[in-house]
């Protein structure tokens, strides 16, 4: 059984990926500092898979702790590195917190890997690296433009750090997955997205409004140059996104990669507006959402969606679930978590 380290494995995308890894026959070891997740997530993973992954509470930005932790684990086949801070707005007010954590943790992992025999790394990148692209949909060759936030910049710099390190290190291989907007929850509703405090992201805000925790959803702007005036994103079911990690990992483990560093878009290839998301949520759940249109949110781009042809062909990764499936699963998770019948 191949042993995979999953950093940030108790987080939103990390936990769903752990489930898919276990279901695909991998042994999962989670490293997380629990700064934005809870230890109970391990119970959720166990309920779904029957297996509670081994867990280490480690600050990966600390080089010594990182090396000591990796030293205790034998026969590692690869690392999937999710652990990072991800609140775009907070990164603007606390840039050093983001640079320090997101970059140091990556550097420590790469440095550890240079001295060890396991050579496969999957990195969580983001479509934020494209900014507001001039041409849509975006391909992996679309230009990278200056990031709007320190958070986005950490993703761009991280990709460069990985590229440079791979180029100078024999045998080291990596794949960066550029995620579009992950939403939804595992079909069992045992794990899902659990933002701390007021959600920043659209779908948790919708489900918390439907659950009565938030009074009203604000739709940020209806004066964009889009068919209904609201902004467009490519929303991918988190389970589909999680499965893309298995394809990427298998590609590295089986030496199917074309070059030692590869990048793939992971989205659905379809854009939906904020109003389409709201309408679809109302349709699949039968719940009327209380919402109002307000001004645009600073820093938001108008529209983006992925060209997925390269990842579909090379990763054999294709999304299976619809926007409605994803929104219903998000609602089922919210209901279960809040004990709503
Ligand atoms: N939106 C609302 N109301 C809300 C929240 C969001 O109208 O309460 C709108 C936003 O203005 C945007 C769309 O819903 O048009 C999606 O917003 P999200 O905050 O859910 O997602 P973003 O596209 O802004 O950002 C997400 C992640 C980032 C990541 C980025 C690109 O939050 O971490 O995708 O990958 F960098």
């Amino acid at each position: 059984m191949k042993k995979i380290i999953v950093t940030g494995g108790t987080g939103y995308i990390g936990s769903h990926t752990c489930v898919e890894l276990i279901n695909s026959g991998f042994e999962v070891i989670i490293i997380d500092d629990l700064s934005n997740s809870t230890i109970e997530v391990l119970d959720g993973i166990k309920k779904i898979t029957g297996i509670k992954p081994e867990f280490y509470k480690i600050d990966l930005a600390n080089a010594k702790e990182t090396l000591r932790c990796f030293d205790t684990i034998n026969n590692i086949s690869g690392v999937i590195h999710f652990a990072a801070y991800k609140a775009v707005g907070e990164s603007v007010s606390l840039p050093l917190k983001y640079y320090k954590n997101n970059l140091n943790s990556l550097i420590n992992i790469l440095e550890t890997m240079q001295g060890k025999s396991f050579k496969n790394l999957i990195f969580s990148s983001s479509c934020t690296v494209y900014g507001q692209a001039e041409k849509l949909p975006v391909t992996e060759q679309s230009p990278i433009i200056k990031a709007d936030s320190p958070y986005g910049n950490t993703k761009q710099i991280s990709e460069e750090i990985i590229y440079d390190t791979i180029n100078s290190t024999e045998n080291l291989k990596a794949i960066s997955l550029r995620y579009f907007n992950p939403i939804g929850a595992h079909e069992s509703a045992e794990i899902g997205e659990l933002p701390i405090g007021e959600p920043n992201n659209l779908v948790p805000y919708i489900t918390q409004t439907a659950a009565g925790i938030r009074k009203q959803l604000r739709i940020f702007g209806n004066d964009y140059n889009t068919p209904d005036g609201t902004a467009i994103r490519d929303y991918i079911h988190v389970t589909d996104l999680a499965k893309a990690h298995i394809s990427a990992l298998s590609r590295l483990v089986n030496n199917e990669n074309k070059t030692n560093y590869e990048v793939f878009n992971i989205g659905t290839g379809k854009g939906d507006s904020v109003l389409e998301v709201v309408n679809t949520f109302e349709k699949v759940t039968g719940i009327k959402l209380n919402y109002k249109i307000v001004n645009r949110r600073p820093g938001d781009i108008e529209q983006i969606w992925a060209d997925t042809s390269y990842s579909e062909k090379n990763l054999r990764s294709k999304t299976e679930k619809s926007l409605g499936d994803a929104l219903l699963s998000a609602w089922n998770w919210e209901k279960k978590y809040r004990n709503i019948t």
Side-chain angles (χ1 to χ4, degrees), residues 86-88 125-129 151-152 155 179-183 199-206 217-221 224 230-233 235 274 296-297 300-302 304:
K86 60 172 187 179
V88 180
S125 190
S126 164
C127 70
T128 191
V129 302
Y151 159 78
K155 293 297 177 193
Y179 309 153
F180 285 68
N181 287 50
I183 59 166
N200 291 309
N201 298 115
L202 178 61
V203 171
Y205 215 104
I206 289 177
L217 169 74
R218 290 162 303 160
I219 294 184
F220 297 129
Y224 284 109
T230 63
I232 292 176
R233 299 286 184 275
Y235 296 95
V274 178
R296 293 181 181 192
R297 183 170 69 176
D300 272 350
I301 57 162
E302 181 170 275
I304 190 163

